[in-house]
Amino acid sequence: MAYQETDVFGQTTVAVLYGGRSSEREISIASGQAVISALETVGFRVVGIDAGVMGYVSALEKAAPDVVFIALHGKGGEDGCVQGVCEELGCVYTGSGVLSSALAMDKVRTKIIYEAAGLPTPASVTLTDPNTWATSEIIEKVGKKSVIKPVNEGSSVGMSIVHDSDELPHAIEYAFSLDDTVLVEQFIEGVEVTVAVLGNEEILPLPVIEIVPTNEFYDFEAKYTPGGSQHICPAEIPEEQAKLCQEFAVRAHQALGCRGVSRTDLIIDRQGQPWLLETNTIPGMTATSLIPDAARVQGMSFEDLCTHLVLLAQEK
């Protein structure tokens, strides 16, 4: 799946939306700049628009793009909001639609979809009030070691691992400082992997990536600091486990109604059982990001990957 510069690309205007106002703004800027460079290299007419600047909607409308490439991460970009803007403007855009984006951004609702689709996901407790929860009830449901997550943040922002009950109050308070709903999830010891899939009706799972963070878990620093984690692709796991992870990622993509691209994170426990953690509808596109790594193993350059996402957007 290799693409070369053509006259057709030169007749196509792509507006790359990047930046935004979320806690992941700097990462979104990096993703946007990388995508702009890749699409310009292939020959597209590219307009970069910072969605964190007042008047960006007017700028988008003025650009009259053939395709909007959404390179926004986190709230306002990955949760269906900017997808709604594109719908109102009648713009073709990359990635999932309004509903799928909103569902995948919400970790609680994502888990509900997983369970309805028969996909394994760790036990959890959802908290909606920082003052009304009981340590004993949480431990009974998820165990002493757990993972605390703000429900609507990405890139592991606000995430903590709790090793015993004494650490629970601070971790929950921290998560509530970033969101009004908090997920307390069972901690599963094992190998952390991720699987990206590409496609609309016909879906291609990319090779499984094994993630080995230098920190205790794959946190914000491990994701975006060079040397913060090691990406092993293809993952050094048995073939049957890799195939099962790919199958689960495709099923998650379909169950959530995703289009274009998604990336599902999983943990493989010591018995070889994969557990789904979350699905990202606008994964990072930076120098340290996972999807470009998997695409390279699949035989796709970064320019090929970006071009393919534009073509998938036009297909839908």
Side-chain angles (χ1 to χ4, degrees):
M1 192 183 295
Y3 300 99
Q4 296 181 351
E5 182 176 349
T6 70
D7 292 337
V8 174
F9 292 166
Q11 297 167 15
T12 302
T13 299
V14 180
V16 178
L17 283 182
Y18 66 92
R21 302 178 185 177
S22 79
S23 59
E24 299 173 72
R25 172 173 169 78
E26 295 305 315
I27 306 306
S28 297
I29 290 173
S31 285
Q33 290 173 340
V35 170
I36 289 169
S37 177
L39 294 178
E40 286 179 337
T41 298
V42 175
F44 287 101
R45 291 193 305 237
V46 183
V47 179
I49 299 174
D50 186 343
V53 176
M54 288 293 291
Y56 88 87
V57 176
S58 297
L60 179 59
E61 193 170 17
K62 182 179 179 181
D66 298 292
V67 177
V68 177
F69 195 114
I70 302 176
L72 296 164
H73 310 308
K75 292 179 180 178
E78 201 167 350
D79 56 5
C81 291
V82 79
Q83 289 77 9
V85 170
C86 290
E87 294 279 358
E88 283 297 304
L89 294 178
C91 294
V92 173
Y93 57 93
T94 57
S96 297
V98 175
L99 179 59
S100 298
S101 299
L103 286 172
M105 186 69 182
D106 187 311
K107 296 177 179 65
V108 171
R109 285 167 176 78
T110 295
K111 289 173 77 71
I112 291 171
I113 299 292
Y114 287 164
E115 290 169 350
L119 295 166
T121 187
S124 64
V125 174
T126 302
L127 306 178
T128 56
D129 188 328
N131 302 309
T132 58
W133 56 271
T135 300
S136 58
E137 293 178 5
I138 291 175
I139 291 176
E140 182 180 356
K141 183 71 180 289
V142 305
K144 287 186 178 181
K145 192 170 184 179
S146 59
V147 184
I148 316 300
K149 306 174 181 179
V151 166
N152 292 291
E153 288 286 354
S155 292
S156 302
V157 173
M159 179 175 158
S160 305
I161 291 182
V162 166
H163 303 83
D164 58 55
S165 58
D166 292 341
E167 299 176 3
L168 199 57
H170 176 71
I172 290 174
E173 180 183 2
Y174 174 45
F176 267 120
S177 72
L178 299 169
D179 202 344
D180 57 8
T181 308
V182 170
L183 184 72
V184 183
E185 192 173 59
Q186 174 191 9
F187 180 87
I188 294 180
E189 193 81 45
V191 177
E192 187 167 358
V193 300
T194 192
V195 183
V197 300
L198 302 173
N200 297 326
E201 303 305 324
E202 296 182 11
I203 303 172
L204 170 70
L206 296 182
V208 181
I209 297 180
E210 181 179 346
I211 301 166
V212 185
T214 54
N215 296 341
E216 183 179 15
F217 65 97
Y218 195 46
D219 58 10
F220 189 91
E221 180 183 4
K223 288 179 178 178
Y224 300 117
T225 302
S229 64
Q230 181 184 5
H231 302 169
I232 302 171
C233 188
E236 296 175 347
I237 57 176
E239 184 178 355
E240 63 271 16
Q241 288 182 14
K243 287 182 177 179
L244 187 57
C245 288
Q246 289 178 314
E247 177 195 330
F248 283 173
V250 169
R251 287 171 58 188
H253 185 90
Q254 293 171 323
L256 289 162
C258 298
R259 297 182 70 84
V261 62
S262 71
R263 198 198 76 225
T264 296
D265 300 334
L266 310 94
I267 290 284
I268 304 173
D269 67 21
R270 291 175 177 174
Q271 287 71 48
Q273 170 67 53
W275 298 84
L276 281 75
L277 303 177
E278 61 182 83
T279 296
N280 303 274
T281 54
I282 306 182
M285 298 287 275
T286 70
T288 59
S289 295
L290 294 157
I291 283 191
D293 281 354
R296 277 190 290 272
V297 174
Q298 186 70 26
M300 298 175 69
S301 68
F302 186 66
E303 291 78 12
D304 292 337
L305 174 61
C306 293
T307 300
H308 189 57
L309 294 179
V310 170
L311 298 180
L312 285 172
Q314 292 177 310
E315 175 185 296
K316 74 180 181 180

